C-alpha cells in the first residue's frame, strides 16, 4: 500500500492541526474523478495552492494515479497535449493527453460532418484543433476575410483602401463550428451571420425567409469564467448570446444548434465517463466504475452539468429496470412490449459503449466563480442560486440542478471528502 500524509489547518478544529494518513490499499477503485481546471486548479495562469496538495494524494510513489482522473474543461483554444503539459507542470504529476477533455473533444463523435467543409470560429490553432478531432476540410474566419474583403467593415482601419471585389476561391461552407470566444467579436459575428444567411455561399445576398439554416455546432457555453481578476470574465457563452440575438433580430427566428458541447451538456459528461472507463481498462482495473465525482467552481456549468448527467443515469437505470420487469412478465426469451423510448438511448450514445457509472455527484469549491460570501437575498425563502440563470438558453433552469451534493473550501478538501465517502483508505 501507499501512505499519504495530509496536514489540515484549523478548518476542523479551532487552532489545532489534524494529521490524516490515508492507507491506499491495492484494491481497485470503483469511482472516477472529473476535475474542472479554471477556478479549481488555477486562476488564469496562477496555480491554486490546494491543487498540488490534492494531487499528491492521488498518485503513488511512481507518479501513477490511484484512481482514474479526467480533466474536463470548457476551454477550447489549444490541443489536448498542450493542456496536459501545462497541467503536469502546475500539479507536479505526469498528465497524459488521454486524461484531458477539452470542450471540443466530443466532436470526434460527429463523424457525419468530418468530410464536410466547415467554418470554424475561435482563437488559437483552430485549424489544427479541427483536424485533430476529425475534420478534413476546414475554413477559418481569416480565410473568409481574405476571399471576401468587403464583408468585414466595422473597423475602419481594416477596410480595403481601394475598391475591391471578392476573391472567390473557397468552396461553399456546409456547417459552422464554434470552438470558443474569438478575439475580434465583431468580425466573427458578422461573417458567421453572413454564412448562415447565405446558406454558406458568401457571393449570394441574404435570404431570411428560410425556416432552417446550416448545421451549427457549439463548444463551451460558459457565460463567464474566473481568471486572475476579482470578478468573472466574459466567456464563449456571452459571444453565443450576441450571435443568437443578432440572428433573431434580423430573421425573427431562433438560432438552432445541431449540438451543444462542453459543460453542462450531458454529451460532455458521457464522453468524460467513457475516458474514465478507458483509463481504468488501460490500468488493468477490472472493477466497474460505478461512481463519478465532478469537482467544479461554477454552479451553472460544473454543478448543473454533473447533476444533469446524474439525472440521466438515474433515468437510464429506471428504463433498464422497466425493461427487465417487462421481460420477466412476458417470460424468458419473449420480447417485451416496452415503449420505444424505453429501449432507445440518445443518438450520440451509439458512438460509445454504454456507461458503467450509476451516479455522478457534484462537489462545489469556493476558489473560483462561486463566492460563498455573496450578500444573501432579503427574502430568506428565495434561494440565491435561483435569482439569475447564467446557463445557456437551451437548457431549462431547474433549481435542483444547481444544488451541489457538497460544498468544500478547495480541491484538496474535495479529494479528502471523496476518499472518506468512498472509504478509499483509512484516516487515523
Amino acid at each position: 500500500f501507499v501512505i499519504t500524509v495530509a496536514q489540515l489547518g484549523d478548518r476542523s478544529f479551532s487552532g489545532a492541526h489534524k494529521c490524516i494518513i490515508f492507507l491506499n490499499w491495492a484494491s481497485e477503485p470503483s469511482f472516477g474523478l472529473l476535475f474542472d481546471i479554471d477556478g479549481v486548479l488555477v486562476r488564469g495562469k496562477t496555480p491554486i495552492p490546494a491543487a498540488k496538495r490534492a494531487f499528491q494524494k492521488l498518485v503513488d510513489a511512481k507518479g501513477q494515479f490511484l484512481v482514474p482522473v479526467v480533466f474536463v474543461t470548457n476551454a477550447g483554444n489549444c490541443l489536448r497535449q498542450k493542456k496536459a503539459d501545462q497541467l503536469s507542470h502546475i500539479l507536479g504529476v505526469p498528465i497524459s493527453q488521454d486524461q484531458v477533455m477539452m470542450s471540443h473533444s466530443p466532436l470526434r463523435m460527429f463523424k457525419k460532418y468530418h468530410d464536410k467543409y466547415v467554418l470554424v470560429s475561435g482563437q488559437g490553432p483552430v485549424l489544427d484543433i479541427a483536424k485533430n478531432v476529425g475534420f478534413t476540410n476546414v475554413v477559418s474566419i481569416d480565410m473568409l476575410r481574405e476571399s471576401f474583403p468587403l464583408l468585414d467593415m466595422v473597423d475602419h482601419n481594416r477596410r480595403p483602401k481601394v475598391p475591391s471585389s471578392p476573391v472567390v476561391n473557397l468552396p461553399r461552407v456546409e456547417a459552422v463550428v464554434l470552438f470558443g470566444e474569438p478575439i475580434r467579436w465583431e468580425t466573427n459575428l458578422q461573417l458567421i451571420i453572413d454564412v448562415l444567411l447565405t446558406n454558406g455561399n458568401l457571393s449570394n445576398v441574404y435570404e431570411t425567409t428560410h425556416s432552417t439554416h446550416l448545421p451549427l455546432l457549439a463548444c463551451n457555453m460558459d457565460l463567464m469564467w474566473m481568471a486572475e481578476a476579482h470578478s468573472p470574465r466574459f466567456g464563449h457563452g456571452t459571444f453565443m448570446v450576441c450571435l443568437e440575438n443578432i440572428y433573431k433580430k434580423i430573421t425573427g427566428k431562433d438560432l438552432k444548434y445541431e449540438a451543444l458541447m462542453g459543460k453542462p451538456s450531458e454529451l460532455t459528461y458521457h464522453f468524460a465517463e467513457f475516458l474514465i472507463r478507458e483509463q481504468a481498462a488501460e490500468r488493468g482495473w477490472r472493477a466497474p466504475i460505478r461512481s463519478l465525482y465532478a469537482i467544479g467552481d461554477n454552479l451553472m456549468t460544473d454543478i448543473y452539468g454533473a447533476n444533469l448527467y446524474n439525472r440521466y443515469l438515474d433515468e437510464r437505470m429506471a428504463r433498464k429496470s422497466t425493461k427487465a420487469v417487462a421481460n420477466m412478465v412476458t417470460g424468458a426469451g419473449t420480447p417485451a412490449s416496452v415503449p420505444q423510448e424505453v429501449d432507445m438511448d440518445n443518438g450520440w450514445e451509439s458512438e460509445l459503449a454504454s456507461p458503467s457509472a450509476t451516479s455522478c455527484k457534484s462537489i462545489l469549491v469556493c476558489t473560483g466563480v462561486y463566492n460563498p460570501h455573496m450578500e444573501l437575498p432579503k427574502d430568506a425563502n428565495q434561494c440565491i442560486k435561483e435569482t439569475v440563470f447564467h446557463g445557456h438558453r437551451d437548457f431549462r433552469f431547474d433549481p435542483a440542478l444547481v444544488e451541489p451534493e457538497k460544498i468544500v473550501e478547495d480541491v484538496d478538501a474535495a479529494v479528502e471528502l471523496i476518499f472518506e465517502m468512498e472509504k478509499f483508505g483509512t484516516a487515523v
Side-chain angles (χ1 to χ4, degrees):
F1 55 84
V2 177
I3 300 179
T4 306
V5 180
Q7 189 80 14
L8 292 183
D10 56 4
R11 292 197 304 266
S12 304
F13 301 94
S14 177
H17 291 276
K18 180 184 178 184
C19 183
I20 291 185
I21 300 178
F22 287 103
L23 302 180
N24 294 313
W25 302 94
S27 59
E28 295 183 353
S30 60
F31 64 99
L33 306 181
L34 307 178
F35 287 95
D36 179 39
I37 297 176
D38 292 303
V40 175
L41 307 178
V42 297
R43 291 277 294 267
K45 294 182 180 179
T46 305
I48 293 171
K52 186 169 283 190
R53 296 198 303 272
F55 277 80
Q56 288 171 350
K57 297 180 175 71
L58 290 171
V59 297
D60 62 19
K62 296 179 181 179
Q64 285 195 314
F65 278 89
L66 301 168
V67 299
V69 166
V70 169
F71 300 88
V72 186
T73 175
N74 271 354
N77 60 352
C78 68
L79 296 168
R80 289 188 302 158
Q81 186 60 60
K82 181 177 180 180
K83 185 63 71 174
D85 292 342
Q86 292 172 350
L87 289 169
S88 298
H89 176 72
I90 290 168
L91 300 173
V93 297
I95 308 295
S96 76
Q97 67 170 358
D98 294 330
Q99 291 178 281
V100 176
M101 181 173 172
M102 312 294 287
S103 61
H104 48 67
S105 294
L107 284 168
R108 298 172 185 276
M109 293 189 287
F110 289 83
K111 295 176 182 177
K112 68 178 181 178
Y113 294 110
H114 287 178
D115 294 329
K116 295 185 181 296
Y117 282 92
V118 298
L119 171 67
V120 293
S121 169
Q123 59 181 289
V126 290
L127 298 180
D128 292 337
I129 292 169
K131 290 173 182 175
N132 186 259
V133 295
F135 294 103
T136 55
N137 302 298
V138 189
V139 178
S140 69
I141 293 289
D142 285 339
M143 292 164 68
L144 285 190
R145 285 188 66 250
E146 291 171 7
S147 294
F148 298 90
L150 293 176
L151 297 183
D152 186 19
M153 301 295 282
V154 172
D155 186 341
H156 289 225
N157 293 325
R158 296 217 302 175
R159 290 182 179 181
K161 303 304 180 188
V162 294
S164 176
S165 56
V167 181
V168 183
N169 58 3
L170 291 177
R172 174 181 168 269
V173 173
E174 298 174 285
V176 179
V177 178
L178 308 179
F179 281 130
E181 63 272 18
I183 296 172
R184 284 183 168 268
W185 286 32
E186 80 283 358
T187 295
N188 288 59
L189 289 169
Q190 177 71 78
L191 294 183
I192 292 169
I193 289 291
D194 287 340
V195 165
L196 295 175
L197 295 185
T198 61
N199 200 33
N201 186 348
L202 294 182
S203 298
N204 293 344
V205 296
Y206 279 5
E207 176 55 72
T208 60
T209 59
H210 288 307
S211 58
T212 60
H213 56 72
L214 293 176
L216 180 64
L217 298 91
C219 313
N220 181 0
M221 296 163 277
D222 280 356
L223 187 75
M224 297 185 291
W225 66 289
M226 205 68 183
E228 289 95 340
H230 295 303
S231 301
R233 302 294 85 197
F234 289 165
H236 188 221
T238 309
F239 176 83
M240 292 168 65
V241 168
C242 296
L243 182 66
E244 292 155 12
N245 282 278
I246 292 169
Y247 184 85
K248 184 159 189 175
K249 194 71 172 178
I250 293 173
T251 66
K253 304 179 183 72
D254 286 332
L255 192 66
K256 304 290 185 183
Y257 294 94
E258 183 78 5
L260 290 166
M261 280 153 279
K263 298 172 289 189
S265 167
E266 291 169 292
L267 169 59
T268 289
Y269 287 85
H270 187 73
F271 195 83
E273 195 264 359
F274 166 74
L275 294 180
I276 287 282
R277 279 187 281 118
E278 289 282 288
Q279 196 177 136
E282 188 176 330
R283 292 290 303 275
W285 292 328
R286 292 166 296 178
I289 302 299
R290 297 301 186 195
S291 301
L292 298 176
Y293 293 89
I295 303 157
D297 68 307
N298 192 327
L299 288 169
M300 304 299 175
T301 54
D302 304 312
I303 304 307
Y304 187 106
N307 291 342
L308 186 65
Y309 190 61
N310 187 65
R311 180 176 290 181
Y312 159 76
L313 292 174
D314 284 345
E315 291 172 351
R316 188 174 181 279
M317 291 297 293
R319 291 200 305 271
K320 288 177 67 176
S321 298
T322 301
K323 184 177 178 180
V325 169
N327 283 331
M328 289 175 62
V329 170
T330 57
T334 305
S337 177
V338 182
Q340 187 177 13
E341 63 270 16
V342 170
D343 209 25
M344 291 179 62
D345 285 318
N346 294 326
W348 38 261
E349 279 195 348
S350 62
E351 295 290 338
L352 304 171
S354 297
S356 65
T358 57
S359 70
C360 182
K361 298 179 176 65
S362 57
I363 298 183
L364 181 67
V365 298
C366 303
T367 51
V369 170
Y370 176 69
N371 180 2
H373 305 297
M374 289 175 66
E375 184 179 352
L376 294 174
K378 294 179 180 178
D379 181 358
N381 295 320
Q382 181 187 16
C383 175
I384 194 165
K385 292 183 288 297
E386 297 178 31
T387 54
V388 179
F389 180 51
H390 288 177
H392 189 266
R393 51 140 222 223
D394 290 356
F395 286 78
R396 180 178 57 85
F397 178 60
D398 182 341
L401 292 178
V402 292
E403 190 70 39
E405 178 90 10
K406 301 287 184 181
I407 300 177
V408 295
E409 181 181 346
D410 54 37
V411 65
D412 187 33
V415 169
E416 289 177 359
L417 175 65
I418 293 166
F419 276 14
E420 183 181 339
M421 292 170 69
E422 288 290 327
K423 298 180 173 57
F424 192 73
T426 305
V428 295

